[in-house]
Amino acid sequence: MSDQALDTASAIIDAARANPEKRPTIAGFFDEGTNTISYVVHDAATKKAAIIDSVLDYDAASGRTATRSAGLIKDYVEENGLEVQWVMETHAHADHISAAPLLQQQLGGKLAIGKDIIRVQDVFGKIFNAGTDFERDGSQFDHLFKEGERFSIGNLEAIALHVPGHTPADMAYVIGDTVFVGDTMFMPDFGTARTDFPGGDARDLYRSIRRLLELPRETRIFLCHDYKAPGRDDYAWETTVGQQRDENVHVKDGVSEDEFVEMRTTRDKTLAMPELIMPSVQVNIRGGRLPEPEDNGVSYIKIPINTL
């Protein structure tokens, strides 16, 4: 059975590899505090741009936010004379708070995420007892990408691919000859994302990754995180489909679905919750906006006891 979205993605990649004007210019911004890489992706001809997976600095001990990471992105956009069309999320992150609303206010663009964010909102809305005022329909975002939806950044062709597993709502974005895979996989020496959050599923993740690895081998992959695997001295966040197929320690060619599920499930049981999961998730399901201030003008983060 043909995978029409994947066929289209492959055609976009092949066309960009054949024509340099269809390839994006990419700047990565690494936040060591959360091991997150944010991206500005732009079309050199039109200066139209997208921001992917931005970070709002947050100190858990004091509850204070800061804008150092977002400021680096803002400066880059302004210094290069870019026009932001999209402020995109690959998923509702559990390890950092998004700076998307701040950057949208400063630079413009549509705030976008995958349409299955409504499933994540429903699950975590109940966990955090968000109440009836919290809309669980994705309306906090300007656009909800569907599987196989085509879009553009200036003259750059792009397509959104639904890649569930880490969460039900993860999206990968093929832009020109590249794919931004969010939290599906990491550098080949580190492996793949965890699947033990509510709504995660190891089998779904395996199938999502193997689907992405059907893209042309030369496709450039840009990752959302790097943790420097043992023996590697430098952070890295760019790889290729071919490298992942040949070398990924969790999901390279030859690893079966059952083998992956057994490994991933066993490994996930040993992992602690991310340090910033409580503030991150309840802010990010709101499109990166803080909870509404209470009658004293202060926003509060809830910490459910003995729940996660």
Side-chain angles (χ1 to χ4, degrees):
M1 183 176 179
S2 175
D3 186 332
Q4 184 174 354
L6 200 66
D7 291 344
T8 301
S10 295
I12 289 171
I13 291 165
D14 287 341
R17 291 188 62 245
N19 183 355
E21 293 183 357
K22 293 181 176 290
R23 300 174 196 167
T25 300
I26 299 168
F29 300 83
F30 182 69
D31 176 56
E32 191 164 359
T34 61
N35 294 90
T36 302
I37 305 95
S38 306
Y39 297 97
V40 177
V41 184
H42 81 266
D43 172 24
T46 65
K47 297 288 188 175
K48 301 293 179 65
I51 298 169
I52 302 176
D53 291 338
S54 60
V55 174
L56 181 70
D57 305 300
Y58 178 77
D59 180 71
S62 67
R64 299 198 69 86
T65 62
T67 60
R68 179 196 61 82
S69 297
L72 295 174
I73 291 175
K74 179 176 182 290
D75 290 347
Y76 177 86
V77 168
E78 292 179 340
E79 289 167 4
N80 287 276
L82 306 181
E83 179 185 344
V84 175
Q85 287 187 297
W86 297 98
V87 183
M88 304 162 66
E89 303 287 355
T90 54
H91 63 295
H93 309 277
D95 40 33
H96 71 269
I97 294 175
S98 171
L102 172 67
L103 289 168
Q104 182 186 40
Q105 181 182 25
Q106 296 173 335
L107 301 170
K110 291 183 178 181
L111 178 55
I113 200 167
K115 72 176 185 63
D116 284 292
I117 186 62
I118 61 176
R119 295 176 57 190
V120 179
Q121 289 176 328
D122 185 56
V123 169
F124 281 99
K126 293 173 182 175
I127 289 174
F128 290 111
N129 196 27
T132 56
D133 290 340
F134 172 57
E135 299 291 343
R136 295 160 169 83
D137 59 1
S139 58
Q140 299 84 353
F141 300 85
D142 299 315
H143 187 82
L144 302 181
F145 280 113
K146 300 175 183 178
E147 155 67 14
E149 181 178 348
R150 299 188 67 167
F151 63 104
S152 63
I153 303 168
N155 294 330
L156 300 176
E157 295 184 90
I159 188 171
L161 300 175
H162 185 213
V163 286
H166 175 61
T167 80
D170 281 60
M171 300 298 289
Y173 300 113
V174 173
I175 303 171
D177 66 335
T178 68
V179 57
F180 297 83
V181 297
D183 282 18
T184 55
M185 56 186 130
F186 304 135
M187 290 300 290
D189 57 0
F190 201 87
T192 58
R194 65 195 297 167
T195 60
D196 58 331
F197 298 148
D201 185 276
R203 290 193 184 278
D204 284 347
L205 182 63
Y206 178 87
R207 294 167 186 172
S208 292
I209 293 173
R210 292 308 308 180
R211 184 179 183 225
L212 288 172
L213 297 184
E214 290 300 312
L215 294 170
R217 285 182 62 91
E218 300 81 7
T219 304
R220 295 188 292 161
I221 293 177
F222 288 89
L223 311 172
C224 189
H225 296 287
D226 186 53
Y227 302 97
K228 278 199 305 191
R232 176 156 55 87
D233 295 329
D234 299 316
Y235 290 110
W237 48 82
E238 180 179 354
T239 177
T240 65
V241 165
Q243 187 179 15
Q244 293 283 3
R245 291 187 63 163
D246 294 341
E247 302 175 19
N248 189 289
V249 294
H250 292 168
V251 73
K252 64 186 177 183
D253 288 357
V255 176
S256 72
E257 182 174 321
D258 287 342
E259 289 171 334
F260 176 82
V261 170
E262 174 63 25
M263 176 282 302
R264 190 68 267 169
T265 303
T266 301
R267 180 177 172 83
D268 287 349
K269 291 177 181 178
T270 71
L271 301 177
M273 285 287 105
E275 179 183 352
L276 297 183
I277 187 171
M278 297 299 184
S280 295
V281 172
Q282 60 190 295
V283 172
N284 293 336
I285 60 175
R286 292 176 166 88
R289 298 172 184 87
L290 297 176
E292 286 296 317
E294 298 192 8
D295 56 11
N296 63 352
V298 177
S299 294
Y300 289 87
I301 297 295
K302 292 183 177 180
I303 306 295
I305 305 300
N306 298 325
T307 301
L308 292 178

